[in-house]
Short mmCIF file of all heavy atoms in Angstrom, two decimals:
data_model
loop_
_atom_site.label_atom_id
_atom_site.label_comp_id
_atom_site.label_asym_id
_atom_site.label_seq_id
_atom_site.Cartn_x
_atom_site.Cartn_y
_atom_site.Cartn_z
N TYR A 1045 118.57 97.14 113.21
CA TYR A 1045 118.28 96.08 112.26
C TYR A 1045 119.59 95.40 111.84
O TYR A 1045 119.67 94.17 111.77
CB TYR A 1045 117.57 96.64 111.02
CG TYR A 1045 117.31 95.59 109.97
CD1 TYR A 1045 116.18 94.78 110.03
CD2 TYR A 1045 118.22 95.37 108.94
CE1 TYR A 1045 115.95 93.81 109.08
CE2 TYR A 1045 118.00 94.39 107.99
CZ TYR A 1045 116.87 93.63 108.06
OH TYR A 1045 116.65 92.65 107.13
N GLY A 1046 120.61 96.22 111.57
CA GLY A 1046 121.90 95.68 111.17
C GLY A 1046 122.51 94.78 112.24
O GLY A 1046 123.08 93.73 111.93
N LEU A 1047 122.37 95.16 113.49
CA LEU A 1047 122.89 94.34 114.58
C LEU A 1047 122.16 93.00 114.66
O LEU A 1047 122.79 91.95 114.79
CB LEU A 1047 122.78 95.08 115.91
CG LEU A 1047 123.29 94.35 117.14
CD1 LEU A 1047 124.79 94.07 117.01
CD2 LEU A 1047 123.01 95.14 118.40
N VAL A 1048 120.84 93.02 114.54
CA VAL A 1048 120.06 91.78 114.57
C VAL A 1048 120.43 90.90 113.38
O VAL A 1048 120.65 89.69 113.53
CB VAL A 1048 118.54 92.09 114.59
CG1 VAL A 1048 117.71 90.85 114.29
CG2 VAL A 1048 118.15 92.68 115.94
N PHE A 1049 120.51 91.50 112.21
CA PHE A 1049 120.87 90.76 111.00
C PHE A 1049 122.28 90.17 111.11
O PHE A 1049 122.51 89.01 110.75
CB PHE A 1049 120.75 91.69 109.79
CG PHE A 1049 120.90 91.01 108.47
CD1 PHE A 1049 119.92 90.16 108.00
CD2 PHE A 1049 122.03 91.23 107.69
CE1 PHE A 1049 120.06 89.54 106.77
CE2 PHE A 1049 122.17 90.62 106.46
CZ PHE A 1049 121.18 89.77 106.00
N LEU A 1050 123.20 90.95 111.64
CA LEU A 1050 124.57 90.48 111.82
C LEU A 1050 124.63 89.30 112.79
O LEU A 1050 125.26 88.29 112.52
CB LEU A 1050 125.46 91.62 112.33
CG LEU A 1050 126.89 91.23 112.71
CD1 LEU A 1050 127.66 90.72 111.50
CD2 LEU A 1050 127.60 92.42 113.33
N MET A 1051 123.95 89.43 113.93
CA MET A 1051 123.98 88.35 114.92
C MET A 1051 123.36 87.07 114.36
O MET A 1051 123.90 85.98 114.58
CB MET A 1051 123.26 88.78 116.20
CG MET A 1051 123.96 89.91 116.94
SD MET A 1051 125.67 89.55 117.37
CE MET A 1051 125.47 88.22 118.52
N ALA A 1052 122.26 87.19 113.62
CA ALA A 1052 121.64 86.01 113.02
C ALA A 1052 122.62 85.34 112.05
O ALA A 1052 122.77 84.12 112.06
CB ALA A 1052 120.34 86.38 112.32
N ASN A 1053 123.29 86.14 111.24
CA ASN A 1053 124.26 85.57 110.30
C ASN A 1053 125.46 84.96 111.00
O ASN A 1053 125.99 83.94 110.55
CB ASN A 1053 124.71 86.64 109.29
CG ASN A 1053 123.75 86.77 108.15
OD1 ASN A 1053 123.63 85.86 107.34
ND2 ASN A 1053 123.04 87.87 108.09
N LEU A 1054 125.90 85.56 112.09
CA LEU A 1054 127.03 84.98 112.83
C LEU A 1054 126.65 83.64 113.45
O LEU A 1054 127.44 82.69 113.42
CB LEU A 1054 127.53 85.96 113.89
CG LEU A 1054 128.23 87.21 113.36
CD1 LEU A 1054 128.61 88.14 114.52
CD2 LEU A 1054 129.45 86.85 112.53
N PHE A 1055 125.43 83.55 114.00
CA PHE A 1055 125.00 82.26 114.56
C PHE A 1055 124.81 81.22 113.45
O PHE A 1055 125.10 80.04 113.65
CB PHE A 1055 123.74 82.41 115.40
CG PHE A 1055 124.01 83.02 116.74
CD1 PHE A 1055 123.46 84.23 117.11
CD2 PHE A 1055 124.86 82.39 117.65
CE1 PHE A 1055 123.73 84.80 118.34
CE2 PHE A 1055 125.14 82.95 118.88
CZ PHE A 1055 124.57 84.15 119.22
N MET A 1056 124.35 81.65 112.27
CA MET A 1056 124.23 80.72 111.14
C MET A 1056 125.62 80.22 110.73
O MET A 1056 125.81 79.02 110.51
CB MET A 1056 123.55 81.40 109.95
CG MET A 1056 123.43 80.52 108.73
SD MET A 1056 122.40 79.06 108.99
CE MET A 1056 120.80 79.82 108.92
N SER A 1057 126.59 81.11 110.67
CA SER A 1057 127.96 80.69 110.34
C SER A 1057 128.52 79.77 111.41
O SER A 1057 129.20 78.79 111.09
CB SER A 1057 128.86 81.92 110.17
OG SER A 1057 128.46 82.68 109.07
N GLY A 1058 128.23 80.07 112.67
CA GLY A 1058 128.66 79.20 113.75
C GLY A 1058 128.09 77.80 113.63
O GLY A 1058 128.79 76.80 113.84
N LEU A 1059 126.81 77.71 113.27
CA LEU A 1059 126.19 76.40 113.05
C LEU A 1059 126.87 75.65 111.90
O LEU A 1059 127.10 74.45 112.00
CB LEU A 1059 124.70 76.56 112.72
CG LEU A 1059 123.73 76.58 113.88
CD1 LEU A 1059 122.34 76.92 113.39
CD2 LEU A 1059 123.73 75.27 114.61
N GLN A 1060 127.16 76.36 110.84
CA GLN A 1060 127.83 75.72 109.71
C GLN A 1060 129.20 75.19 110.11
O GLN A 1060 129.53 74.04 109.84
CB GLN A 1060 127.97 76.70 108.55
CG GLN A 1060 126.67 77.00 107.86
CD GLN A 1060 126.82 78.06 106.79
OE1 GLN A 1060 127.77 78.83 106.79
NE2 GLN A 1060 125.87 78.10 105.88
N ILE A 1061 129.99 76.02 110.75
CA ILE A 1061 131.34 75.62 111.14
C ILE A 1061 131.28 74.45 112.13
O ILE A 1061 132.02 73.48 112.00
CB ILE A 1061 132.12 76.82 111.72
CG1 ILE A 1061 132.41 77.82 110.59
CG2 ILE A 1061 133.42 76.36 112.38
CD1 ILE A 1061 132.93 79.16 111.06
N TRP A 1062 130.39 74.53 113.10
CA TRP A 1062 130.26 73.44 114.08
C TRP A 1062 129.79 72.16 113.40
O TRP A 1062 130.26 71.08 113.71
CB TRP A 1062 129.29 73.85 115.19
CG TRP A 1062 129.45 73.02 116.41
CD1 TRP A 1062 128.79 71.87 116.70
CD2 TRP A 1062 130.35 73.25 117.49
NE1 TRP A 1062 129.21 71.38 117.90
CE2 TRP A 1062 130.16 72.21 118.41
CE3 TRP A 1062 131.27 74.24 117.78
CZ2 TRP A 1062 130.88 72.14 119.59
CZ3 TRP A 1062 131.98 74.16 118.96
CH2 TRP A 1062 131.77 73.12 119.84
N GLY A 1063 128.86 72.30 112.45
CA GLY A 1063 128.38 71.14 111.70
C GLY A 1063 129.47 70.52 110.87
O GLY A 1063 129.57 69.29 110.77
N PHE A 1064 130.33 71.34 110.27
CA PHE A 1064 131.44 70.81 109.47
C PHE A 1064 132.38 70.00 110.34
O PHE A 1064 132.91 68.99 109.92
CB PHE A 1064 132.21 71.94 108.80
CG PHE A 1064 131.41 72.76 107.84
CD1 PHE A 1064 131.79 74.05 107.56
CD2 PHE A 1064 130.29 72.25 107.21
CE1 PHE A 1064 131.06 74.83 106.67
CE2 PHE A 1064 129.55 73.02 106.31
CZ PHE A 1064 129.95 74.30 106.05
N LYS A 1065 132.60 70.46 111.56
CA LYS A 1065 133.53 69.75 112.45
C LYS A 1065 133.00 68.37 112.82
O LYS A 1065 133.76 67.46 113.09
CB LYS A 1065 133.79 70.57 113.71
CG LYS A 1065 134.63 71.78 113.45
CD LYS A 1065 134.88 72.56 114.71
CE LYS A 1065 135.57 73.85 114.33
NZ LYS A 1065 136.72 74.14 115.08
N LYS A 1066 131.68 68.23 112.85
CA LYS A 1066 131.07 66.96 113.23
C LYS A 1066 130.90 66.01 112.04
O LYS A 1066 130.58 64.86 112.22
CB LYS A 1066 129.71 67.19 113.89
CG LYS A 1066 129.78 68.02 115.14
CD LYS A 1066 130.53 67.30 116.21
CE LYS A 1066 130.59 68.13 117.48
NZ LYS A 1066 131.42 67.54 118.49
N SER A 1067 131.06 66.52 110.83
CA SER A 1067 130.87 65.70 109.63
C SER A 1067 132.21 65.10 109.22
O SER A 1067 133.20 65.80 109.11
CB SER A 1067 130.33 66.54 108.48
OG SER A 1067 129.07 67.06 108.83
N PHE A 1068 132.23 63.82 108.98
CA PHE A 1068 133.48 63.16 108.62
C PHE A 1068 133.63 62.99 107.11
O PHE A 1068 134.70 62.67 106.64
CB PHE A 1068 133.56 61.78 109.28
CG PHE A 1068 132.41 60.89 108.92
CD1 PHE A 1068 132.47 60.08 107.81
CD2 PHE A 1068 131.27 60.87 109.71
CE1 PHE A 1068 131.40 59.27 107.48
CE2 PHE A 1068 130.21 60.05 109.38
CZ PHE A 1068 130.27 59.25 108.26
N TRP A 1069 132.61 63.26 106.34
CA TRP A 1069 132.65 62.97 104.91
C TRP A 1069 132.83 64.20 104.02
O TRP A 1069 132.72 64.11 102.81
CB TRP A 1069 131.39 62.23 104.48
CG TRP A 1069 130.13 62.85 104.98
CD1 TRP A 1069 129.47 62.53 106.13
CD2 TRP A 1069 129.38 63.91 104.38
NE1 TRP A 1069 128.36 63.32 106.27
CE2 TRP A 1069 128.28 64.16 105.20
CE3 TRP A 1069 129.54 64.65 103.23
CZ2 TRP A 1069 127.36 65.14 104.90
CZ3 TRP A 1069 128.61 65.62 102.93
CH2 TRP A 1069 127.54 65.85 103.77
N VAL A 1070 133.10 65.34 104.62
CA VAL A 1070 133.28 66.54 103.81
C VAL A 1070 134.70 67.07 103.95
O VAL A 1070 135.39 66.75 104.89
CB VAL A 1070 132.27 67.65 104.21
CG1 VAL A 1070 130.86 67.22 103.91
CG2 VAL A 1070 132.42 68.04 105.65
#
Side-chain angles (χ1 to χ4, degrees):
Y1045 177 86
L1047 180 63
V1048 167
F1049 188 71
L1050 174 63
M1051 294 304 295
N1053 276 292
L1054 290 177
F1055 284 118
M1056 178 63 77
S1057 295
L1059 271 173
Q1060 288 176 340
I1061 291 169
W1062 199 269
F1064 299 155
K1065 289 181 187 229
K1066 300 294 180 186
S1067 298
F1068 57 88
W1069 48 267
V1070 295

